[in-house]
Amino acid sequence: MKILCIETTCDETAAAIVTDELSVLGSVVASQEGLHREFKGVVPEIAARAHVERIFPVIDQALKKAEISLGDLDAVAVCNTPGLSGSLLVGVVAAKSLCLVNDLPLIAINHLHAHVFACQLDAEHSVFPCVGMIVSGGHTHLYSYQSALSAQYMGGTIDDAAGEAFDKVASMLGLPYPGGPAVSRVALNGDPTAHQFPRSFIHEDRLDFSFSGLKTAVRYAIGGPGSKDISHVKLEDGQISDLAASFQQAVVDCLVSKSVLAVKQSGMKNLCVGGGVAANQVLRAQLSERCTQEGIKLFIAPREYCTDNAVMGAIAIERFKAGLFEDLSLNIKPGLVRH
Ligand code: KG4
Ligand code: ZN
């Protein structure tokens, strides 16, 4: 079985052909980083327009890489939730057109559950049942999964997402967008204990995250207590590295502690972690160490499938097997649906 998966939820235009054995026959990701860099974040209108230009060339390229044509496909799958409205629409319309013209079944993908499913791509056995933590630019959430298709919301951020905090702190430190890779790069030379930044709810029994106070604490550390405008502050390289390392450590401490707490509360044994921030080496190393101590089996998405890609859309295979198809009235759901 061969499924074309399409991903256009935010600022990556991606297509991949995956099989029911989870082999990747072809995968293409057209990143828009260059288009959004000067704005230090994703501009929805620019993202949607770029998806329109790129979607069919990206699909063509993925099919070429897989050395197949549309006629060889068994289904087309597309992420229709959550994400930016204009971006989601481009993928959904493209998928519906391909299904209509080629008489193929249509499958809907939830982007968050796809991030967690990315852990399955590298695993020898089923990673389900598990607790799944999605740590991305738009989301930081914990779900308990009985299976790939059955998830219950356990908790999540009450303000910023972890990736969003990396992006905003990068901007304060004068580092480029996307902030995660830039912050983690300079953090390598910094002291993670140089600043004692807040770790919200870390000693509480609740499964929530909050990164907005942490962001403010970084701003005050740069410009002084109560500072609002820090654009005039000039930082030395060593100061930037210490701020980056201390900020990163605070985020990692929160993610490690809440994901472990979620596993303990769920009574499950497996923890799966996906999303752009899961590419972070410090998070990967410290999660792995803590899970070993706690007897938790940890699965982290392969690094190339942490940031947005279409291969994680392989969760569509599960929907295909369960007979979960959509008709051409499939719509987008930009907001988070907590199930
Ligand atoms: O999953 P993703 O590609 O998009 C969303 O679904 O939001 O995640 C993008 C986010 C960005 O905020 C980016 O700064 C962050 O993931 N990110 C990282 C790293 N690589 C990407 N954050 C921390 N460390 C990284 N190495
Ligand atoms: Zn994502």
Side-chain angles (χ1 to χ4, degrees):
M1 185 204 303
K2 298 182 187 75
I3 298 188
L4 166 65
C5 303
I6 298 173
E7 153 64 44
T8 61
T9 58
C10 188
D11 64 338
E12 261 93 25
T13 318
I17 291 95
V18 294
T19 72
D20 46 341
E21 274 147 9
L22 297 189
S23 306
V24 182
L25 301 185
S27 166
V28 176
V29 181
S31 166
Q32 300 180 8
E33 269 170 33
L35 296 179
H36 301 285
R37 186 158 289 144
E38 68 173 293
F39 306 103
K40 300 187 162 86
V42 177
V43 182
E45 290 79 6
I46 294 178
R49 218 172 303 138
H51 284 309
V52 171
E53 286 165 7
R54 295 164 186 208
I55 187 72
F56 284 115
V58 163
I59 292 171
D60 273 345
Q61 231 179 309
L63 289 166
K64 272 205 190 84
K65 277 195 179 176
E67 298 180 350
I68 62 165
S69 59
L70 286 167
D72 298 316
L73 292 172
D74 295 284
V76 177
V78 63
C79 279
N80 72 324
T81 187
L84 302 170
S85 311
S87 295
L88 287 166
L89 268 175
V90 178
V92 168
V93 170
K96 286 193 208 175
S97 323
L98 291 175
C99 288
L100 184 65
V101 173
N102 298 283
D103 197 17
L104 288 167
L106 176 65
I107 300 174
I109 301 170
N110 177 309
H111 180 80
L112 299 186
H113 303 328
H115 266 309
V116 170
F117 193 81
C119 297
Q120 189 63 65
L121 294 163
D122 237 10
E124 283 173 12
H125 305 288
S126 175
V127 299
F128 300 97
C130 67
V131 165
M133 178 166 70
I134 301 105
V135 273
S136 70
H139 301 279
T140 300
H141 299 303
L142 290 157
Y143 284 86
S144 77
Y145 290 86
Q146 289 304 327
S147 71
L149 303 182
S150 158
Q152 279 84 44
Y153 186 80
M154 298 182 81
T157 183
I158 58 166
D159 42 53
D160 291 355
E164 193 179 353
F166 268 97
D167 295 336
K168 288 180 178 159
V169 165
S171 163
M172 290 183 214
L173 296 176
L175 300 170
Y177 172 83
V183 168
S184 58
R185 207 163 33 244
V186 299
L188 287 173
N189 306 317
D191 173 5
T193 63
H195 300 268
Q196 271 314 304
F197 288 137
R199 284 130 169 94
S200 298
F201 315 134
I202 202 143
H203 299 300
E204 296 176 38
D205 231 14
R206 54 195 275 193
L207 295 174
D208 291 322
F209 303 92
S210 165
F211 297 111
S212 131
L214 170 59
K215 224 174 44 189
T216 306
V218 175
R219 193 170 71 239
Y220 290 176
I222 295 172
S227 55
K228 288 206 162 58
D229 181 10
I230 52 167
S231 55
H232 59 284
V233 181
K234 286 260 166 298
L235 295 167
E236 311 265 321
D237 285 355
Q239 291 175 305
I240 294 176
S241 293
D242 282 349
L243 287 160
S246 303
F247 159 77
Q248 177 176 254
Q249 190 58 54
V251 175
V252 168
D253 284 348
C254 295
L255 298 177
V256 170
S257 104
K258 293 299 171 189
S259 56
V260 166
L261 178 64
V263 176
K264 287 183 177 165
Q265 287 190 1
S266 72
M268 292 183 182
K269 292 192 172 59
N270 295 357
L271 171 63
C272 288
V273 185
V277 182
N280 186 282
Q281 292 289 22
V282 174
L283 174 64
R284 295 174 85 92
Q286 294 188 13
L287 251 183
S288 161
E289 198 178 318
R290 181 73 190 280
C291 285
T292 306
Q293 287 165 6
E294 302 280 352
I296 295 170
K297 187 133 179 52
L298 174 68
F299 301 88
I300 310 185
R303 280 198 83 196
E304 75 259 47
Y305 301 136
C306 284
T307 46
D308 288 349
N309 64 88
V311 173
M312 66 194 198
I315 191 172
I317 304 278
E318 301 292 324
R319 293 187 76 84
F320 190 108
K321 288 181 186 160
L324 295 170
F325 300 107
E326 311 299 326
D327 61 33
L328 294 179
S329 67
L330 176 70
N331 216 337
I332 60 163
K333 288 186 217 126
L336 175 70
V337 181
R338 294 186 200 277
H339 58 71

